[in-house]
């Protein structure tokens, strides 16, 4: 399999730390070959700060899989970084964005099997003119290549629970106003397709949450579940999809309930992310569905407060790398 392209993320955050840690654990944790898109001098300096003597190798024209066994493969993006841990500076945004753009170029060109992205600091990017709500939406635009951006679908995956929020990075008031039956239908179509083609689940079982408490309590706690969610579920069930809902969200995530479905479709961001982060905070993986390439990411932020201290846990990044390789293998085998 081709190697994975790993982005630098926010240079002042823990992305460089966990990338180094993941390579160091390549044998013990069966980490698939990857290369890091970033500035070799910057990575060397961060490793030195962490007290780690790590060999790096320019992999621009080399065999990444061969290099990976002996050194951390690095490919420069033309955007050097100088930010100190915990202190993002003016070059943070170009370094982070350039790494993402190069990763997309590489996977589209067939040089990488998938993209794994380290955490970014959206507030830093916004100050540099970044206009996207987050990683997911930016990747959707890059995948469109100048055309209409695809609808990005954010899956949070772990061995305990897989969840998808229909509305993603929106204020709650706006998320409720935006929610529609066609949006739910389109989201489930993408989820089912990717679960089949990239996760090898022949007939995915889908559970759909209600929007309101107790799924609206027959309209007494809001009518959206009757007028928006239920019609979408009926449409999808008529297509032959194994789907249930709207279900009360407060009883969907206990252990017995989770055994009855492969993926939970939730109506807004926190409704989906709170249960998965509670169950699998260090192991959950963020996956963007509906793109022409595979993208995974750790399900945590930049952690400025521990960047450069050696305390960052690479478990979620390692899970992201392993899942990306598994998805790429399933896609290739399908």
């Amino acid at each position: 399999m081709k190697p994975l392209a790993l982005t630098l993320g926010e240079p002042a955050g823990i992305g460089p730390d966990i990338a180094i840690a993941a390579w160091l654990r390549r044998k013990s944790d069966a980490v698939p070959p990857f290369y890091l898109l970033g500035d070799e001098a910057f990575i060397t300096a961060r490793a030195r700060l962490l007290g780690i003597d790590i060999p790096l190798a320019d992999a621009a024209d080399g065999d990444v899989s061969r290099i990976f066994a002996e050194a951390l493969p690095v490919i420069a993006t033309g955007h050097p970084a100088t930010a100190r841990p915990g202190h993002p500076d003016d070059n943070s945004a170009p370094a982070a964005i350039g790494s993402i753009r190069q990763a997309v170029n590489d996977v589209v060109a067939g040089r990488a099997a998938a993209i794994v992205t380290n955490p970014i600091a959206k507030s830093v990017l916004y100050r540099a003119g970044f206009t996207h709500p987050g990683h997911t939406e930016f990747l959707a635009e890059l995948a469109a290549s100048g055309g209409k951006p695809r609808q990005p679908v954010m899956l949070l995956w772990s061995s305990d629970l897989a969840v998808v929020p229909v509305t993603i990075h929106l204020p709650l008031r706006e998320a409720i106003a935006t929610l529609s039956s066609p949006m739910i239908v389109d989201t489930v179509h993408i989820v089912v397709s990717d679960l089949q083609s990239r996760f090898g689940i022949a007939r995915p079982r889908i559970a759909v949450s209600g929007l309101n408490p107790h799924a609206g309590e027959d309209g007494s706690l809001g009518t959206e579940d009757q007028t928006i969610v239920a019609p979408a579920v009926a449409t999808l069930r008529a297509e032959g999809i194994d789907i249930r809902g709207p279900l009360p969200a407060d009883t969907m995530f206990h252990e017995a309930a989770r055994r009855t479905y492969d993926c939970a479709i939730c109506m807004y961001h926190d409704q989906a992310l709170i249960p998965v982060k509670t169950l699998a905070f260090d192991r959950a993986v963020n996956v963007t569905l509906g793109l022409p390439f595979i993208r995974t990411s750790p399900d945590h932020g930049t952690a400025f407060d521990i960047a450069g201290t050696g305390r960052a846990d690479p478990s979620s990044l390692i899970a992201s790398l392993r899942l990306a390789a598994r998805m790429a293998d399933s896609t290739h085998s399908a």
Side-chain angles (χ1 to χ4, degrees):
M1 191 183 73
K2 294 173 183 175
L4 307 173
L6 176 61
T7 68
L8 181 67
E10 164 55 52
I14 62 170
D17 303 29
I18 58 177
I20 292 167
W23 182 82
L24 290 173
R25 287 166 53 171
R26 66 197 182 283
K27 295 180 181 177
S28 63
D29 287 36
V31 178
F34 67 85
Y35 60 91
L36 181 59
L37 287 159
D39 178 10
E40 189 170 335
F42 176 79
I43 301 302
T44 299
R46 180 63 64 89
R48 187 178 299 117
L49 179 65
L50 293 168
I52 298 171
D53 183 13
I54 184 173
L56 305 182
D58 184 352
D61 298 311
D63 180 346
V64 171
S65 296
R66 180 186 58 77
I67 294 170
F68 188 78
E70 303 297 333
L72 172 59
V74 178
I75 296 180
T77 63
H79 298 280
T82 60
R84 293 182 296 116
H87 300 277
D89 62 25
D90 289 346
N91 79 35
S92 293
I97 293 172
S99 185
I100 298 168
R101 288 186 182 278
Q102 186 60 53
V104 172
N105 290 340
D106 285 357
V107 76
V108 169
R111 291 187 290 270
I115 296 171
V116 180
T117 58
N118 265 311
I120 56 174
K122 286 175 282 190
S123 60
V124 176
L125 301 188
Y126 293 155
R127 291 197 294 271
F130 189 75
T131 59
H132 305 278
H135 244 141
T136 303
E137 295 83 358
F138 183 42
L139 288 164
E141 180 177 285
L142 292 177
S145 300
K148 182 180 179 181
R150 295 169 178 252
Q151 177 186 342
V153 172
M154 184 170 71
L155 166 71
L156 281 300
W157 179 92
S158 73
S159 58
D160 301 290
L161 175 66
V163 294
V164 167
V166 175
T167 60
I168 307 178
H169 297 112
L170 294 174
L172 186 55
R173 186 189 303 274
E174 189 175 339
I176 294 170
T178 301
L179 187 69
S180 68
S181 294
M183 182 182 293
I184 297 169
V185 170
D186 289 347
T187 298
V188 174
H189 283 160
I190 292 169
V191 170
V192 169
S193 176
D194 277 26
L195 288 179
Q196 290 173 331
S197 64
R198 292 180 171 172
F199 286 81
I201 303 174
R203 184 170 167 75
R205 300 167 300 162
I206 306 297
V208 179
S209 76
L211 172 68
N212 296 297
H214 306 293
E217 198 78 71
D218 294 325
S220 63
L221 294 176
T223 61
E224 293 89 351
D225 294 293
Q226 295 173 311
T227 61
I228 297 174
V229 184
V233 172
T235 296
L236 293 159
R237 188 182 296 118
E239 295 175 0
I241 293 174
D242 186 348
I243 189 168
R244 296 178 295 126
L247 304 172
D250 62 347
T251 58
M252 281 182 61
F253 301 109
H254 61 83
E255 185 175 2
R258 298 198 307 271
R259 289 197 293 266
T260 67
Y261 57 82
D262 297 301
C263 184
I265 308 297
C266 300
M267 296 303 103
Y268 55 91
H269 184 278
D270 284 10
Q271 192 181 53
L273 271 67
I274 287 173
V276 74
K277 288 192 175 186
T278 299
L279 290 165
F281 184 78
D282 292 328
R283 295 172 286 108
V285 177
N286 185 342
V287 185
T288 304
L289 306 181
L291 299 178
F293 49 79
I294 294 164
R295 178 261 178 160
T296 66
S297 180
D299 186 28
H300 59 66
T302 54
F304 286 134
D305 57 323
I306 61 171
T309 67
R311 290 159 44 204
D313 184 349
S315 297
S316 186
L317 175 58
I318 291 171
S320 301
L321 291 160
R322 294 179 63 174
L323 181 61
R326 169 187 157 187
M327 292 173 66
D329 185 61
S330 294
T331 304
H332 180 72
S333 302

